[in-house]
Amino acid sequence: MRQHSTLSTMTEFELIHRFFSGLDFGPSTRLGIGDDAAILDIPPAHSLVVSVDSANEHTHFSELTLPEVVAYRSIASAISDLAAMGATPIGMTLALSLSEQDPLWLRSFSEGVTKAVYAFGCPLVGGDTTKGPLSISVTVMGTVPQGFGLKRSGATVGDLICVSSSLGDAAAGLQLELGTLFAEEHPSCSDYLLDRWSYPQPRLALGSDLLNSATACIDISDGFLADLGHLLQQSGVGAQINEAAIPISAELISVVGRAQALQLALSGGEDYELCFTLPSSVAVPEGCSVVGQIVATMGIRGLTNTPVRTGFQHF
Amino acid sequence: MRQHSTLSTMTEFELIHRFFSGLDFGPSTRLGIGDDAAILDIPPAHSLVVSVDSANEHTHFSELTLPEVVAYRSIASAISDLAAMGATPIGMTLALSLSEQDPLWLRSFSEGVTKAVYAFGCPLVGGDTTKGPLSISVTVMGTVPQGFGLKRSGATVGDLICVSSSLGDAAAGLQLELGTLFAEEHPSCSDYLLDRWSYPQPRLALGSDLLNSATACIDISDGFLADLGHLLQQSGVGAQINEAAIPISAELISVVGRAQALQLALSGGEDYELCFTLPSSVAVPEGCSVVGQIVATMGIRGLTNTPVRTGFQHF
């Protein structure tokens, strides 16, 4: 990793060192931050799983988003890709672009990093801090037993389509965060929805449990229908959806009503839950819902209305 | 990795797919781009080596830099960290932030990526494209035999201090690129220096050869003195430098004269050569120069002038 040697950048490094020096590296880390690269051990008979996710100000969060939440969400969204592969995290790198030094911003940001490191058991093993518009890019690494790993392909006719937990909460949370939705009459619901957006909980344990049973898996970041569409496309199959079985939280219905809640659940995005397919003989994991079944005919059937895209546009 | 599902982002993905679909994945890649994450195999009895490097427009390159060069340099600078560890590349992820879709820009950029993938034998196994100010963040992964890996610590008194190839060329190349240096009378020298900046050649083979012999190693990205300083600090030793032995190319001397050439060689930065220490009993690898010796007293001695910092300021 690039080292910075001028007086002003020493201050930057001192700050980062101060905020991140307390973090544990974990048993896989043979050499952590502080050299040209980190060295990690991979358990015998395991493969490396790797994914990258970025978040940019004005696109993925606003200037009003707490730096702690910016950090936590950036890491959680990347970790969610590991969960969708059934992988166990071993480490991550973080590229942070900052337009100016702001110790308070950095402190809050580092608290989000720390929270995520411990929540997901994923040490920060490398970083690069550069000058530029605010942007965070996280590469996560994990492991799966050799020959394993949940893919988007593999869903077969008759499989059950399942999702973990309720959908749409995070999309509503984002609208609350951006101030485009108000929920004064429902303060506790509002807190719940904001929390679901701010602190997504990647389903690592579930992904790991599914390694031996699921035929296909994807994480829901762009909305249930869009991500199910990717899974169907790569598996070469279609889906019959039972709209009434889509899990929606009471909090979401309280704040936006049932019709809008369904729209958000179908296509709001930002959920970081898993969508997976199971042979019908397999027991559905606790907390998960069966929302449909795989059919031979391509496409998605069973929806009463064509859903409106409500997630953000990238370009 | 996040998937984008709107019509406009389909175009973005189609473009990227078109430009990158011809790339080989290499034997370590069990599952490449196209799922939530990639799956890579690590050779038995090897550890994973990982590093991240970012480049932002206006900080690390200008709006006049060829997109191909932006891509190649971004990847080469990250790969150089693998070289400095003695690691063999197995794959990389690339996070690209773009403010707008520009097919010609993307085509040139993808050509730089392709060139780098083949030059360094490092497949692109994951990516994320987001909307935002132009920025490239590359995480590289490689392997070393378990228990090996060149570190910055380990240099001991009496060790020879060596560098690979000539220094300062890339710093002059950057000045030519930015138009702050002119070399009309020396067109071939100018081409050489520009090339040294545009297409750095990370010393992967050398790093690998040094695994059994070097006591410490670092790549020179911030300038020889700054990076030697990191090595000395982490090894707890000092250096006696033989200024006359610093390797400087005839091309650099032709363009800027001997005095300025030495300044650039000592602290220009951007070189991506290796600085390493060897027990005096070990033969110096071909193409490398001995520029000093490790001494017990901290600090760097033997310079006739205090060098002026000429590299860019990050903050």
Side-chain angles (χ1 to χ4, degrees), chain A residues 159-173:
Chain A
D159 283 353
L160 304 176
I161 301 167
C162 307
V163 294
S164 59
S165 194
S166 58
L167 302 182
D169 296 335

Side-chain angles (χ1 to χ4, degrees), chain A residues 1-10 12 30-31 34-42 46-57 59-60 73 77 80-82 84-85 90 93-101 125-135 137-139 141 144 146-153 217-219 221-222 226-227 230 234 270 272 309 312-315, chain B residues 1-10 12 30-31 34-42 46-57 59-60 73 77 80-82 84-85 90 93-101 125-135 137-139 141 144 146-153 217-219 221-222 226-227 230 234 270 272 309 312-315:
Chain A
M1 283 139 266
R2 182 179 279 273
Q3 291 296 308
H4 309 254
S5 56
T6 59
L7 188 67
S8 62
T9 59
M10 282 306 289
E12 173 210 343
R30 210 177 260 265
L31 181 69
D35 214 301
D36 289 296
I39 303 181
L40 304 182
D41 279 338
I42 307 289
H46 279 65
S47 298
L48 174 68
V49 178
V50 60
S51 181
V52 59
D53 257 314
S54 300
N56 301 329
E57 191 173 49
T59 302
H60 302 87
R73 275 189 55 79
S77 68
S80 180
D81 288 318
L82 291 185
M85 302 299 288
I90 56 163
T93 64
L94 192 154
L96 175 62
S97 172
L98 283 174
S99 53
E100 55 185 24
Q101 289 189 57
V125 300
D128 192 23
T129 312
T130 51
K131 184 172 169 60
L134 184 55
S135 165
S137 180
V138 182
T139 297
M141 288 156 287
V144 287
Q146 248 161 39
F148 284 79
L150 303 170
K151 301 179 189 173
R152 295 177 177 183
S153 58
C217 186
I218 190 169
D219 81 321
S221 55
D222 263 2
D227 288 313
H230 296 305
Q234 295 209 19
E270 311 264 320
Y272 300 110
R309 168 85 191 172
F312 61 81
Q313 308 285 321
H314 295 273
F315 275 87
Chain B
M1 281 140 266
R2 180 181 280 273
Q3 291 295 310
H4 309 255
S5 56
T6 59
L7 188 69
S8 62
T9 59
M10 282 306 287
E12 172 211 345
R30 209 178 261 264
L31 181 69
D35 214 301
D36 290 296
I39 304 181
L40 303 182
D41 278 338
I42 307 289
H46 279 65
S47 297
L48 174 69
V49 178
V50 60
S51 180
V52 59
D53 255 315
S54 300
N56 302 329
E57 191 173 47
T59 303
H60 302 88
R73 275 189 56 78
S77 68
S80 181
D81 288 319
L82 292 185
M85 302 299 287
I90 55 162
T93 64
L94 193 154
L96 175 62
S97 170
L98 283 174
S99 53
E100 55 185 25
Q101 289 189 57
V125 300
D128 192 24
T129 311
T130 51
K131 185 171 169 61
L134 185 54
S135 167
S137 181
V138 181
T139 297
M141 288 156 287
V144 287
Q146 247 161 40
F148 284 79
L150 303 170
K151 301 179 188 172
R152 295 177 177 182
S153 59
C217 186
I218 190 170
D219 82 321
S221 55
D222 262 1
D227 288 312
H230 296 305
Q234 295 210 19
E270 312 265 320
Y272 301 110
R309 168 86 191 172
F312 61 82
Q313 308 285 321
H314 295 274
F315 275 86

Side-chain angles (χ1 to χ4, degrees), chain A residues 37-273:
Chain A
I39 303 181
L40 304 182
D41 279 338
I42 307 289
H46 279 65
S47 298
L48 174 68
V49 178
V50 60
S51 181
V52 59
D53 257 314
S54 300
N56 301 329
E57 191 173 49
H58 308 307
T59 302
H60 302 87
F61 56 90
S62 83
E63 64 275 23
L64 294 177
T65 309
L66 276 179
E68 182 190 301
V69 170
V70 171
Y72 194 94
R73 275 189 55 79
S74 300
I75 295 170
S77 68
I79 293 278
S80 180
D81 288 318
L82 291 185
M85 302 299 288
T88 303
I90 56 163
M92 62 177 155
T93 64
L94 192 154
L96 175 62
S97 172
L98 283 174
S99 53
E100 55 185 24
Q101 289 189 57
D102 177 346
L104 281 179
W105 191 96
L106 264 179
R107 160 164 284 193
S108 172
F109 183 85
S110 73
E111 279 166 4
V113 172
T114 304
K115 232 181 225 191
V117 161
Y118 289 112
F120 312 136
C122 189
L124 179 68
V125 300
D128 192 23
T129 312
T130 51
K131 184 172 169 60
L134 184 55
S135 165
I136 301 100
S137 180
V138 182
T139 297
V140 288
M141 288 156 287
T143 61
V144 287
Q146 248 161 39
F148 284 79
L150 303 170
K151 301 179 189 173
R152 295 177 177 183
S153 58
T156 49
V157 175
D159 283 353
L160 304 176
I161 301 167
C162 307
V163 294
S164 59
S165 194
S166 58
L167 302 182
D169 296 335
L174 175 59
Q175 293 185 12
L176 290 164
E177 167 77 15
L178 296 178
T180 56
L181 176 67
F182 300 92
E184 279 90 356
E185 317 95 271
H186 308 282
S188 72
C189 296
S190 168
D191 285 353
Y192 167 82
L193 297 173
L194 258 173
D195 202 63
R196 288 275 283 162
W197 179 75
S198 304
Y199 298 103
Q201 292 304 320
R203 303 299 174 186
L204 286 166
L206 173 63
S208 194
D209 285 349
L210 292 174
L211 271 178
N212 288 297
S213 57
T215 50
C217 186
I218 190 169
D219 81 321
I220 306 177
S221 55
D222 263 2
F224 169 68
L225 289 180
D227 288 313
L228 173 61
H230 296 305
L231 186 152
L232 296 175
Q233 193 175 23
Q234 295 209 19
S235 295
V237 292
Q240 177 68 40
I241 296 299
N242 176 10
E243 208 175 68
I246 305 274
I248 301 176
S249 71
E251 291 87 346
L252 182 59
I253 294 172
S254 292
V255 170
V256 302
R258 193 169 294 272
Q260 180 61 12
L262 180 62
Q263 286 290 328
L264 291 172
L266 289 174
S267 45
E270 311 264 320
D271 279 316
Y272 300 110
E273 298 295 343

